[in-house]
Amino acid sequence: MRDPMTADSVSRAHTAGAVSGASQAQVEEALLNATPQAMTGALALVGIGTLVRKLLDERLGESGMSVRHLSVLGHVRGRPGMSMAELAQRIGITNQSMHTTVHQLLERGLIEPAGPLSRGRSSALRITPDGTHQLMQALNVVAEVDQIVNLDKHTTSAILDAAVRIAKR
């Protein structure tokens, strides 16, 4: 029988996976073998977030999408006219990463500039009909993963409350 994982070993396994590119299996094994006494809420959320993100990216990847693509499409649909810089700030990524993501979506015809694209100026963006269709399909994938995660409304609310507390710190 294996020794139960401590919170510290779970944290080290997660950090190793995130920083060095070590196997995702290490993170999964650490989570699966951790005892409830050794697992903290913060570490549990980090581990679960890692696993859910991986599952979503796998499922969305079947249609050439990623969680980042989904996020951009959702933000552009919700607030048409948002610039790439605004999107990057809202999503929490660099402008360079946002430009890469936006250009992928532009090439696929899922978003389009709301005005002329010019060098040095950030153009406002809007979602195309194909982008709306792809977003709806991606949200169906999210719903399927949500069924696997299977959190009740109380737990989901507690997680969202924690997110608000963290954001306000």
Side-chain angles (χ1 to χ4, degrees):
M1 184 171 166
R2 291 185 185 153
D3 291 332
M5 300 292 287
T6 64
D8 187 50
S9 60
V10 173
S11 179
R12 282 195 309 272
H14 183 268
T15 301
V19 175
S20 70
S23 169
Q24 179 69 29
Q26 287 179 311
V27 175
E28 292 172 13
E29 183 177 343
L31 286 168
L32 291 172
N33 292 320
T35 63
Q37 299 82 8
M39 183 59 69
T40 69
L43 289 175
L45 287 173
V46 168
I48 290 166
T50 299
L51 295 172
V52 171
R53 175 73 182 245
K54 178 184 172 194
L55 180 58
L56 275 172
D57 273 333
E58 285 173 2
R59 298 272 175 98
L60 290 169
E62 294 169 7
S63 63
M65 293 281 289
S66 69
V67 172
R68 185 172 290 171
H69 292 135
L70 169 65
S71 185
V72 170
L73 289 175
H75 278 85
V76 170
R77 182 172 185 244
R79 289 199 50 209
M82 205 181 306
S83 70
M84 283 191 246
E86 290 172 301
L87 278 169
Q89 184 177 13
R90 284 185 171 267
I91 294 173
I93 62 174
T94 65
N95 284 342
Q96 183 178 357
S97 292
M98 181 54 66
H99 279 271
T100 299
T101 303
V102 164
H103 285 288
Q104 291 168 351
L105 295 171
L106 284 166
E107 287 174 6
R108 291 180 60 192
L110 303 180
I111 58 174
E112 62 189 8
L117 284 175
S118 60
R119 206 160 225 261
R121 274 186 87 169
S122 187
S123 176
L125 302 166
R126 66 179 167 231
I127 194 166
T128 65
D130 284 346
T132 299
H133 177 74
Q134 190 72 38
L135 176 60
M136 294 302 113
Q137 288 183 320
L139 290 174
N140 286 333
V141 170
V142 171
E144 291 169 10
V145 170
D146 202 38
Q147 288 182 334
I148 294 168
V149 173
N150 193 28
L151 295 178
D152 60 51
K153 291 185 185 292
H154 176 74
T155 304
T156 301
S157 180
I159 291 169
L160 293 173
D161 289 346
V164 169
R165 286 192 304 277
I166 292 165
K168 287 183 178 179
R169 64 166 176 74

